[in-house]
Amino acid sequence: MKNKLRLFLTTLGFLAVAQAGWAHAFLDHADPAVGSKVHGSPRVVKLWFTEKLEAALCKLQVFNESGQEVDKRDQASSAGDPASLTVSLPPLQSGKYKVVWRAVSVDTHVTKGDFQFEVSP
Ligand SMILES: [Cu+2]
């Protein structure tokens, strides 16, 4: 009986560790918002995540409809906001843009995603 209890507690311990491992950096929200239509060219794309990031290992890119990267390749976390990622943009023409991100949280777990937004005049 004691062994069974120990096994049970050990299993609980593993489950707790597994749960903690789920604390990855998921996209919380973005500006421009996911799937949104914005009037005029945004100056930056900013993403907020659910966990603090290792900014140097993260990637944030913006592509136009022809698949060309249009961002200024200057992605960084905002000062004092280590769960965010920002990349700046040149003036964008009207059209659809795709944001592709790869986030590495401080626990070194990697998450990826992409979404679109549309620029209208
Ligand atoms: Cu994680």
Side-chain angles (χ1 to χ4, degrees):
M1 202 55 203
K2 242 183 183 169
N3 275 340
K4 261 193 177 164
L5 181 64
R6 190 170 297 143
L7 180 66
F8 176 69
L9 290 176
T10 307
T11 308
L12 272 188
F14 278 127
L15 284 176
V17 170
Q19 284 292 329
W22 283 107
H24 304 349
F26 293 111
L27 183 63
D28 186 62
H29 63 288
D31 186 12
V34 173
S36 66
K37 195 175 196 174
V38 293
H39 291 284
S41 177
R43 286 167 177 263
V44 299
V45 168
K46 185 168 182 181
L47 309 185
W48 286 266
F49 289 89
T50 56
E51 297 289 324
K52 291 178 187 172
L53 305 171
E54 292 287 354
L57 303 176
C58 296
K59 217 168 192 187
L60 173 56
Q61 296 170 290
V62 183
F63 297 92
N64 65 16
E65 282 172 81
S66 327
Q68 288 168 313
E69 188 172 355
V70 296
D71 59 83
K72 291 187 173 172
R73 298 167 201 249
D74 61 350
Q75 56 143 79
S77 286
S78 305
D81 195 357
S84 74
L85 265 188
T86 304
V87 72
S88 45
L89 298 169
L92 297 179
Q93 298 178 320
S94 298
K96 286 182 180 163
Y97 293 87
K98 187 178 185 183
V99 177
V100 179
W101 58 266
R102 178 183 185 273
V104 182
S105 55
V106 287
D107 66 4
T108 72
H109 292 134
V110 180
T111 47
K112 297 174 187 184
D114 61 74
F115 66 88
Q116 282 197 347
F117 69 91
E118 188 175 344
V119 174
S120 68

